[in-house]
Amino acid sequence: MFGSFESAVLALVFFLFGIFAGVGLGERLVVRCVTKKEYLIANVVTLLVGSVVSAIVMITPYPMFVTLVIGLIGGTIAGLKLGFGESVGPWKAHDKYFRVNKEQLKRSETGERAEAVRRARRDGTPEPELMSVVDDKSDKNE
């Protein structure tokens, strides 16, 4: 079975399904992450569990399922990043270099506000209000 076109297509289907399922899993897991430390721990646990599962799959008679596991790992990490809502770690350098996710970069500079929003999302309470008070000294009517 290995080495044929059909097995390559099947491996690609497993990989894409793994990514799709992993993104959903990552978005469910990120609800528990409030601080950057918890986010980092979730990423490390994902990599460790994924490596153990892929090693177990490789000793079974069906090593093709390792593409599913690799897709799950990648999708879960992407889902964690998308759901966290802030550019952290290597993602911050990536977002700055490619000039993407400007809103997430802004949130990463004011960590207290972003953490309060994530805490409210985890607890199911309304997000804190963002109030901006501007003192306009150039107003000539006063």
Side-chain angles (χ1 to χ4, degrees), residues 27 30-34 82-85 107 114-128:
E27 288 177 347
V30 79
V31 174
R32 300 177 188 165
C33 300
V34 174
L82 292 171
F84 194 64
R107 269 187 245 138
E115 191 172 313
V117 169
R118 289 190 300 269
R119 185 169 281 113
R121 180 180 61 203
R122 180 193 65 188
D123 299 338
T125 59
E127 291 184 9

Side-chain angles (χ1 to χ4, degrees), residues 4 11 16 27 37 52 54 58-59 66-67 96 107 121 128:
S4 65
L16 293 176
E27 288 177 347
K37 182 179 177 182
V52 168
S54 65
M58 286 302 290
I59 62 173
V66 80
T67 58
K96 279 184 182 178
R107 269 187 245 138
R121 180 180 61 203

Side-chain angles (χ1 to χ4, degrees), residues 28-48:
R28 286 193 179 107
L29 291 175
V30 79
V31 174
R32 300 177 188 165
C33 300
V34 174
T35 63
K36 292 178 184 179
K37 182 179 177 182
E38 292 171 344
Y39 171 75
L40 178 65
I41 290 171
N43 277 291
V44 170
V45 167
T46 299
L47 291 172
L48 290 175

Side-chain angles (χ1 to χ4, degrees), residues 63-125:
M64 173 142 341
F65 287 120
V66 80
T67 58
L68 177 69
V69 175
I70 291 171
L72 277 168
I73 294 170
T76 303
I77 290 175
L80 285 169
K81 193 264 190 226
L82 292 171
F84 194 64
E86 184 179 337
S87 294
V88 180
W91 291 110
K92 191 171 191 175
H94 169 271
D95 292 345
K96 279 184 182 178
Y97 182 77
F98 288 109
R99 297 184 183 114
V100 294
N101 297 329
K102 294 179 181 172
E103 195 63 35
Q104 290 186 357
L105 281 170
K106 243 188 261 184
R107 269 187 245 138
S108 68
E109 293 176 10
T110 57
E112 298 84 24
R113 164 117 173 90
E115 191 172 313
V117 169
R118 289 190 300 269
R119 185 169 281 113
R121 180 180 61 203
R122 180 193 65 188
D123 299 338
T125 59

